[in-house]
Amino acid sequence: MKPIRRDAWLGVLALLWLVIVIVVYFTAHKPITSQSAISIARSAVHLAAALGIISLGGGLGTLLLPETGSSPLVQFALRGAFGIGLLSIGVLLVGSLIGTSPILGWVGLILPLVLLHRAILRWWQGLWELRVLWTEGSRLGKTIAVLICLIFAAALLVALAPPLKFDALVYHLALPKTYLSAGRVGYVPGNLFWGMPQMGEMLYLWAMPLAGEPSAACVGWGVGLMAVLGLLGYARRQTGVAAAWVSAASLLAGYTLAAELSWAYVDWFTILYGLAFLVLLHRWIDTGRTSQIVLAGIFGGFALGSKYSAGALLVAGAVLIAYYSLKVSTPRLTLRNLAVFTLAAGAASVPWLLKNILATGNPLYPFIYPSGAMDAFRLEQYQGYPIWGDWRE
């Protein structure tokens, strides 16, 4: 027993010595200084403000968007996308007609969060499907899940830092800062990108006076998270758990998309709305319900409201609707479906076109023809160069 007792005492002494060394080291090298504690607290506020805006969108979508027969994660993404789309248009209207201020931003966030707290909790409950994806996943699927978590964690750390990317500094965040300085949303002739749709920028405008520019980047990060979660739920329902994890891995395998989670850009908005658009059109093909065409049109309009190039979704959607309608019904019903789709998409995207018309007379400013600050010389410089590459690229 003596050797065993001696070894035990030696182990205790070694452990005690290690504790003493660590305590003495951190007495002189404090792990958390007052400055780092303030920085951590500030980051927590950035993230809380962003999650508050996204949660409010999810709660609003839960109240307004009917069940689509999709999986919980797809419902989570669709309702979140629907809600933040409405919030973005709301910020445009309030910022244009009333103005912008931190007080207005905080009141517009906290009061609705309290009123919609039950709907928000129901929205967050859609994440329970992640447990199923984990438990049913293979070793490959779980490995992919861990890697995806690492990508999002790394992107969040970058999002919490000051923004550095070109487009964010030129217009994605620069335009909201200009609106805040002016006290309202208005025409900015010195920035030709003002004419672009600003679905994402309106949410950034809301977040920035609450907690600063990193909170805006965190909103973009949250939108990307919704898109990936929605894709996981959709792919699981269509092709199984293994394919769901591979689908998410395929989306995040490219450096640009993975890194862009932290850039305060708007491409993840178009991915989220493109996913919602695809889901609703798929549901319409399965059920034939006109309501699914209406919702698909709205999400397509929201995509166009995020980025002009996302208008390709509307063209593809119209072709698909015409094709499937003619397969099962008459040309008259086909025209009706196309009209419903077009009206829904137009209603969702018209605020951004109307904004341009009122300021410059050109709904697609700064493109097509001279208008506003884009005279003929500027327009030629901007869009007069030959297209790079050829059709194969």
Side-chain angles (χ1 to χ4, degrees):
M1 296 295 293
K2 289 183 179 179
I4 297 176
R5 188 177 300 173
R6 185 180 62 188
D7 292 343
W9 276 109
L10 287 174
V12 171
L13 289 173
L15 182 61
L16 181 61
W17 175 251
L18 181 62
V19 170
I20 291 172
V21 170
I22 292 174
V23 170
V24 172
Y25 176 82
F26 282 115
T27 299
H29 305 79
K30 299 185 184 301
I32 298 180
T33 64
S34 59
Q35 185 176 1
S36 61
I38 292 173
S39 179
I40 292 172
R42 187 181 294 117
S43 296
V45 174
H46 293 323
L47 185 58
L51 291 179
I53 292 173
I54 292 172
S55 296
L56 183 57
L60 185 62
T62 299
L63 282 181
L64 300 179
L65 190 67
E67 290 284 347
T68 60
S70 304
S71 73
L73 281 178
V74 173
Q75 282 290 122
F76 177 84
L78 262 60
R79 286 174 165 170
F82 190 75
I84 63 173
L86 295 180
L87 290 178
S88 180
I89 294 174
V91 173
L92 173 66
L93 294 175
V94 172
S96 301
L97 301 177
I98 299 176
T100 61
S101 72
I103 295 176
L104 192 61
W106 278 113
V107 172
L109 177 63
I110 294 175
L111 185 59
L113 282 175
V114 173
L115 295 175
L116 299 180
H117 69 278
R118 289 195 178 117
I120 292 170
L121 289 175
R122 289 203 310 273
W123 179 66
W124 280 108
Q125 287 170 1
L127 295 180
W128 70 263
E129 192 181 2
L130 281 173
R131 182 178 179 181
V132 178
L133 279 161
W134 175 262
T135 55
E136 293 183 358
S138 62
R139 183 177 300 177
L140 173 63
K142 291 178 179 178
T143 301
I144 291 173
V146 172
L147 293 175
I148 288 175
C149 289
L150 289 175
I151 288 173
F152 272 94
L156 180 59
L157 292 177
V158 178
L160 289 168
L164 295 174
K165 288 301 177 178
F166 180 84
D167 285 1
L169 298 179
V170 171
Y171 66 105
H172 292 312
L173 296 181
L175 284 173
K177 287 182 70 173
T178 303
Y179 300 148
L180 290 172
S181 298
R184 67 175 53 251
V185 176
Y187 179 40
V188 184
N191 192 325
L192 65 90
F193 296 104
W194 177 87
M196 305 297 186
Q198 296 180 32
M199 182 79 75
E201 285 83 354
M202 290 298 105
L203 295 181
Y204 297 160
L205 170 61
W206 191 357
M208 286 171 62
L210 300 181
E213 291 177 342
S215 61
C218 288
V219 170
W221 178 88
V223 169
L225 180 61
M226 279 196 292
V228 172
L229 292 176
L231 175 62
L232 281 170
Y234 181 66
R236 173 178 174 259
R237 179 68 64 89
Q238 300 301 321
T239 54
V241 173
W245 287 117
V246 172
S247 297
S250 300
L251 185 63
L252 292 167
Y255 168 78
T256 302
L257 279 184
E260 200 174 309
L261 289 165
S262 60
W263 291 356
Y265 279 23
V266 296
D267 298 280
W268 276 103
F269 283 83
T270 61
I271 292 173
L272 176 61
Y273 289 125
L275 173 68
F277 180 78
L278 174 65
V279 170
L280 270 301
L281 282 182
H282 196 169
R283 288 292 301 163
W284 169 71
I285 293 171
D286 289 342
T287 65
R289 295 176 183 170
T290 304
S291 60
Q292 308 299 320
I293 294 182
V294 173
L295 291 174
I298 290 173
F299 282 118
F302 283 164
L304 180 62
S306 302
K307 198 167 186 175
Y308 275 141
S309 56
L313 281 174
L314 300 178
V315 177
V319 172
L320 187 145
I321 289 171
Y323 173 75
Y324 278 97
S325 295
L326 288 172
K327 281 183 65 175
V328 299
S329 61
T330 63
R332 181 177 180 180
L333 185 58
T334 299
L335 292 175
R336 188 186 71 109
N337 287 340
L338 288 173
V340 169
F341 175 74
T342 303
L343 289 173
S349 59
V350 74
W352 315 106
L353 305 179
L354 184 61
K355 166 185 76 74
N356 290 346
I357 291 174
L358 293 176
T360 69
N362 179 1
L364 297 178
Y365 178 83
F367 300 110
I368 312 301
Y369 55 85
S371 54
M374 289 292 287
D375 56 27
F377 297 103
R378 279 181 160 181
L379 193 65
E380 176 65 22
Q381 179 72 15
Y382 187 56
Q383 65 182 33
Y385 287 103
I387 296 173
W388 177 85
D390 59 23
W391 65 270
R392 293 170 298 179
E393 293 156 335

